[in-house]
Amino acid sequence: MSTDAVSEREPHRVVVVGGGFGGLYAAKTLARERGIDLTLVDRRNHHLFQPLLYQVATGALSPGEIAQPLRAILRKHENTTVLLGEAVGLDPDRREVVLSDGGPLPYDTLVVATGARFNYFGHDEWAPFAPGLKSIDDATDIRRRILIAFEAAEREHVPERRREWMTFVVVGGGPTGVELAGALGEIANDTLERDFRSIHPPDSRIILVEALDRILPPYPPDRSASATRQLERLGVDVRTGARVVGIDERSVRVDVGGHEETIPTRTVLWGAGILASTFARTVAAATGAETDRSGRVVVGPDLTVPGHPEIFVIGDAAVQPWKRDRPVPGVAQGAIQPGRYVAATIVRRMRGEPIRPFRYRDLGDVAVIGRLSGVTNIGWLGPFGRQGGFPAWFLWLGIHILYLIGFANRIVVVTRWLWSFLTRGRSTRLITGRPLLPPIEEPEPPA
Amino acid sequence: MSTDAVSEREPHRVVVVGGGFGGLYAAKTLARERGIDLTLVDRRNHHLFQPLLYQVATGALSPGEIAQPLRAILRKHENTTVLLGEAVGLDPDRREVVLSDGGPLPYDTLVVATGARFNYFGHDEWAPFAPGLKSIDDATDIRRRILIAFEAAEREHVPERRREWMTFVVVGGGPTGVELAGALGEIANDTLERDFRSIHPPDSRIILVEALDRILPPYPPDRSASATRQLERLGVDVRTGARVVGIDERSVRVDVGGHEETIPTRTVLWGAGILASTFARTVAAATGAETDRSGRVVVGPDLTVPGHPEIFVIGDAAVQPWKRDRPVPGVAQGAIQPGRYVAATIVRRMRGEPIRPFRYRDLGDVAVIGRLSGVTNIGWLGPFGRQGGFPAWFLWLGIHILYLIGFANRIVVVTRWLWSFLTRGRSTRLITGRPLLPPIEEPEPPA
């Protein structure tokens, strides 16, 4: 054990990198402990409630309603410092994190909770055409793209071009892709139905592309089938066994069983694959830790890096042990529980108490599909845990309000949801950033 | 009269350019009229409740809470088309507006309500260092600058540099400047008071610079004095008779009675002067209309351009007649009332009814100063109309909720205000866009 015994006078310095679910729950628990000097580092000044980010991207909520300043959350704790900065290096021998502005940050215990981003599988050139959804800026960018597409379709007179603007492709049949596609279906069928004069938004094509043979692969097959049916009812074309092989400004190419097809579209949203954050890979390189194909750090039963009991890696940045053939899944609970565990473990060590290995409690999965429907897979509830339609949506609602940080945010979000439930509206569908349409092209002259 | 009599078959085509208060209130009234074919053109897809924009800039509200999509507001009216586009030209003889993508838009009656922006008095090179507050993007940019300044001060060890980051200069003692300065005072004294570890936010310097001899010049002198006292109580340094003569990345230079002074600062916010929108000047050039120094179009008693009874110019884009020595002021009512008048006038003409000149009803002015205080000047309430402190703030609250568009927004905004009233919090203080700090500079080597 290389962590030192703690005297009354020298507080134990804990540095937490990343203010997502893992880092924040670790910090919230540690902030209450005496004898600890805690520093939370994040590139952003806010904690983001990621599971609702697709609702910002689709105009149902405003950014401020699902985010909370880290300083505000942790302000009451005198032992806690919040630092806006980017961790770019690690010196495990000197026990220092290097920040992008050069400042070294010494630690006794380090908690790496820097998350992951989407993986373009070696095709980063697709990124400008197919943005992923990880930050508030991503969400407002995607919102802009979706709304601009309808505006451009309204102005476009050439039928094929109008069709390109009214075709939306979502890549990846995981929870993010399913929720985005469902929300797009709702936007086209309900929200915008009567907003335009030249186009009829319910004529939009929404295509969900998944390389595997079914969507929501962590769910049992009958739940995947239920989700597919619910999406189809919203007009979403669910294409499984379809691998994306090319994306440019005006099309997506997919390979379906060796046969290539081109889908003309102006709007592609990416929700596939996972790639550990750069800092997670920096930690692996500095400590010689093993990583998986996605660059996530393989950690031991106590979520520390082998040979470095003072370095924890948790959440999406790590491969956290669970079942023999399956690590902890990349959901909110897969970071919240490790965050709390790590905090408790650090305190136990300080007190000289024995350490137990991390045990993930599967609370189940809930995904929402459009308005008032969804799908759940909650093992510990038995058959009752496998819901579809409205009960699934209702469960989802309760859970998300419970975990949303900030009391005012909870009231505001419930108000918005109640209101959009009554009106089918999405009142925050604002185009910000570059507001203007691309110029309308003249029809090509006949050859 | 060059407007044509309207037959049952040929609807009267009205084009409204601009979806601010003037354009929106004109459009809302006209949208209910039969026999009118209405097109509303705006560069943005949303109506913005400008009087609360400073609350977004200072982290009290989220953008979606003070904006509403124009399509959503007008969707029920079959005779109304909303067009996302930029008006760049006018052909008054052919009666066509030219849009930036080339499309000509024919009209029988044109309503120009394109507003104004701030005026750097020939010093547009100051704009990058001293942003004005007109759009949601401006507001999130200003919010980022304010929050980054505190973050940078927290990281800065050289005292003079820390002081630069903790100095905020607001240029312009009109309502925008006063409300921004008051909100900054509240942020420094209350909201962020306990958020940092190296700095003490109440030590911030907030300087309000006004070239005239008192702030809020449209108010009576005793109200200006009351506003000054309330600002000073929030720690704002009110400098009247101070003319800005230079702004760069690290300082503002002011001229006070011939004596020049340099204020080292990293954050300057601009709220002075007024410059009519580009399209207003285009309209003046195309019709030969007179403009004032700010480029606003001088209109007749019926708010039309002399010689062009089919072209109305209203709101901040126009010099609208009121008192002999004073045109209609540039407040929300100065656009809402003309918007309604113009709509009624168009309908009267169609019916062949006589036209009355526009009469501005002064409903009075209310400005809020920080939390729970403000200043009012409401002539028709007699002495009761001259309030300061809490009664002024309460009046302001009621009026703003009344005029806020969208029922859900009203509930959400009231919730946020109640909550921040109880907690002194500003929960939407998110840094978006470029999230990172400027690099911390090394201290200069001794010469």
Side-chain angles (χ1 to χ4, degrees), chain B residues 150 154 162 166 188 192-193 196-204:
Chain B
F150 284 104
E154 171 87 347
R162 179 176 278 181
M166 288 178 72
L192 299 182
E193 194 193 352
F196 293 89
R197 298 294 174 255
S198 312
I199 60 167
H200 183 55
D203 296 341
S204 305

Side-chain angles (χ1 to χ4, degrees), chain A residues 84-85 100-101, chain B residues 147-153 155 434-440:
Chain A
L84 184 69
S100 62
D101 59 17
Chain B
L147 295 171
I148 284 279
F150 284 104
E151 297 288 344
R155 301 285 300 279
R434 287 167 293 151
L436 284 176
L437 293 178
I440 291 179

Side-chain angles (χ1 to χ4, degrees), chain A residues 7 20 56 74 101 150 154 175 212 297 305 312 324 381 403 437:
Chain A
S7 78
V56 174
L74 296 166
D101 59 17
F150 284 104
E154 172 88 349
L212 299 179
V297 180
V305 174
F312 294 87
R324 189 174 303 173
L381 284 177
Y403 275 91
L437 294 177

Side-chain angles (χ1 to χ4, degrees), chain A residues 65 71 101 151 155 197, chain B residues 65 71 80 101 151 155:
Chain A
E65 292 159 11
R71 293 194 184 283
D101 59 17
E151 296 289 344
R155 300 285 300 277
R197 298 293 174 255
Chain B
E65 292 159 11
R71 292 193 185 284
T80 305
D101 60 17
E151 297 288 344
R155 301 285 300 279

Side-chain angles (χ1 to χ4, degrees), chain B residues 191-212:
Chain B
T191 316
L192 299 182
E193 194 193 352
R194 295 191 303 167
D195 272 18
F196 293 89
R197 298 294 174 255
S198 312
I199 60 167
H200 183 55
D203 296 341
S204 305
R205 276 174 91 197
I206 300 151
I207 303 168
L208 179 64
V209 175
E210 166 60 50
L212 299 180

Side-chain angles (χ1 to χ4, degrees), chain B residues 64 72 163 212 223 275 361-362 400 406 429 438:
Chain B
R163 193 135 185 84
L212 299 180
R223 297 297 84 206
L275 187 67
R361 274 194 63 205
D362 184 17
H400 283 75
R429 46 182 201 279

Side-chain angles (χ1 to χ4, degrees), chain A residues 290-314:
Chain A
E290 200 188 327
T291 57
D292 73 351
R293 279 191 312 164
S294 309
R296 297 182 299 174
V297 180
V298 179
V299 289
D302 61 353
L303 308 185
T304 60
V305 174
H308 287 276
E310 79 285 6
I311 302 179
F312 294 87
V313 187
I314 60 173

Side-chain angles (χ1 to χ4, degrees), chain A residues 54 57-58 133 142 146 170 175-185 269-270:
Chain A
Y54 82 95
T58 55
L133 183 59
I142 287 176
I146 294 170
V170 179
T176 304
V178 166
E179 295 189 323
L180 269 176
L184 276 168
L269 308 179
W270 189 270

